[in-house]
Amino acid sequence: MDVTSGLDEMNKVLAEIIAGVIPHKQTRNRWRGILRFGPLNALKLKREIKRNTQTPSHYLSVCVIAKDEGPYFKEWLDWHISKGVEKFYVYDNGSTDNTKEILEPYIQRGIVDYTWFPGYRKQLAAYDDCLLRHRFETRWLAVIDMDEFIVPIKHNSIPEYLKDKEKYPVVEINWLTFGSSGERKRTDLPVMQRFHRHSMPQHPLNHHVKSIMNPRRVYGMIGCHEAARINGKAADSRGERVKTSWKDRDAQHDVIRINHYAVRSYEEFRDKQARGRASGPARSVDDGYFDRFDLNDLEDTLKYN
């Protein structure tokens, strides 16, 4: 089966050409996603959704693509399990470390669905494949990275937070960017314990969002941050309908947030450079990335358990 689910290069080129002339940011991004998916594929998907009566097996799942992130997986999985995630669709982008060994107990328990997915620029292809295979298995699907932890502030769990958002196809949650806390070397302590200083809340980086989506109401991901909706409007983290692009909105951290540990220690950042990005060619993390993301303005006041 073609893992890109018919999302051929013609659709991608057409999407950029047509969407590029639309002045309104939200409309432009939505049409970029629809055109990238392909009009014929969109019609087929709508028919499939209408016919499918499958009850989702899971309320909340996570899709992630990762490479050589073995040392971080246990903490990341256990945190999200403790906050109500039932299933993880893990796409391994060609790891050479102990990723599979770390994941094996979770695979055996049925918590992790593991897919070997090597190659450059595979991030969107992984998201496409995840929706193709698992669209009807889960009520909500979060699309995040290994350096991101979803942190509910006013609720005990992420599903509890999502319960009154079910009228929306997508909920967009802001980053809170954490710096290195002055750490230069890797240690064995948990990420959420080691890195305890973060940026000012309204730093421009924190305007970025990540999406938790109803897979039955989206075509796919536009990029790493937004989903192309079939119908309806997205909600912000407070459950209000989104009216402007995330770039033009204030960051919200009072109800739920995503702790974004973009650099960790300097040694770990250098490892990140060597791995490269799943959304780009190898070594695409430039030297200035550390300075841009190493933001340590405020001490984190939350206590994690």
Side-chain angles (χ1 to χ4, degrees), residues 18 26 29-30 34-35 42 56 74 81 89 94 112 125 129 132 138 147 166 170 173 204 221 224 227 244 267 299:
I18 296 178
Q26 284 185 292
N29 280 349
R30 182 163 184 256
I34 293 170
L35 292 167
K74 187 178 189 306
I81 291 169
Y89 302 111
V112 164
D129 186 73
L132 174 66
T138 187
D147 58 5
E166 293 188 352
V170 180
I173 303 173
M221 294 297 292
C224 304
T244 60
E267 179 182 19
E299 185 77 18

Side-chain angles (χ1 to χ4, degrees), residues 60-62 64 72-88 106 111 142-152 156-159 192 212 256-259 261 305:
L60 174 61
S61 303
V62 167
V64 65
Y72 306 104
F73 254 114
K74 187 178 189 306
E75 179 190 3
W76 186 86
L77 288 168
D78 289 348
W79 169 263
H80 287 103
I81 291 169
S82 76
K83 297 304 174 185
V85 177
E86 301 168 32
K87 189 79 172 184
F88 299 85
Y106 299 91
I111 295 172
V143 178
I144 59 174
D145 295 324
M146 285 294 302
D147 58 5
E148 296 169 338
F149 290 68
I150 305 174
V151 180
N156 293 320
S157 70
I158 306 167
M192 298 180 87
I212 305 179
I256 194 169
R257 73 192 197 197
I258 292 181
N259 286 11
Y261 302 95
N305 49 37

Side-chain angles (χ1 to χ4, degrees), residues 47-63:
R47 287 197 293 267
E48 183 182 3
I49 290 170
K50 190 173 183 179
R51 291 195 302 265
N52 193 292
T53 59
Q54 178 181 342
T55 300
S57 306
H58 316 294
Y59 187 74
L60 174 61
S61 303
V62 167
C63 179

Side-chain angles (χ1 to χ4, degrees), residues 97-153:
D97 66 355
N98 63 342
T99 287
K100 186 67 183 299
E101 178 185 348
I102 295 297
L103 291 177
E104 193 60 37
Y106 299 91
I107 296 170
Q108 294 301 318
R109 289 161 58 192
I111 295 172
V112 164
D113 185 296
Y114 174 87
T115 301
W116 178 251
F117 212 73
Y120 294 139
R121 303 184 69 85
K122 300 292 279 187
Q123 189 161 22
L124 288 182
Y127 299 157
D128 293 337
D129 186 73
C130 186
L131 284 167
L132 174 66
R133 296 172 185 269
H134 308 296
R135 186 183 298 275
F136 299 103
E137 293 178 8
T138 187
R139 175 59 181 80
W140 290 102
L141 180 67
V143 178
I144 59 174
D145 295 324
M146 285 294 302
D147 58 5
E148 296 169 338
F149 290 68
I150 305 174
V151 180
I153 307 298

Side-chain angles (χ1 to χ4, degrees), residues 184-201:
R184 303 293 294 178
K185 297 291 185 179
R186 177 198 305 273
T187 73
D188 293 332
L189 292 174
V191 166
M192 298 180 87
Q193 180 178 333
R194 282 194 288 154
F195 307 113
H196 48 83
R197 298 193 67 86
H198 59 71
S199 58
M200 298 297 290

Side-chain angles (χ1 to χ4, degrees), residues 243-289:
K243 297 180 180 178
T244 60
S245 168
W246 56 265
K247 296 179 182 178
D248 302 321
R249 306 196 305 262
D250 288 340
Q252 301 171 350
H253 304 116
D254 56 331
V255 179
I256 194 169
R257 73 192 197 197
I258 292 181
N259 286 11
H260 185 207
Y261 302 95
V263 294
R264 304 182 181 118
S265 69
Y266 186 72
E267 179 182 19
E268 289 161 286
F269 164 72
R270 298 295 290 182
D271 290 342
K272 180 174 184 171
Q273 278 189 306
R275 289 195 301 270
R277 289 173 172 165
S279 58
R283 300 185 186 277
S284 63
V285 182
D286 61 83
D287 289 336
Y289 186 99

Side-chain angles (χ1 to χ4, degrees), residues 207-226:
H207 290 222
H208 285 80
V209 297
K210 283 301 181 78
S211 295
I212 305 179
M213 56 189 173
N214 177 347
R216 290 172 170 81
R217 295 183 64 186
V218 301
Y219 295 112
M221 294 297 292
I222 297 167
C224 304
H225 302 282
E226 293 177 282

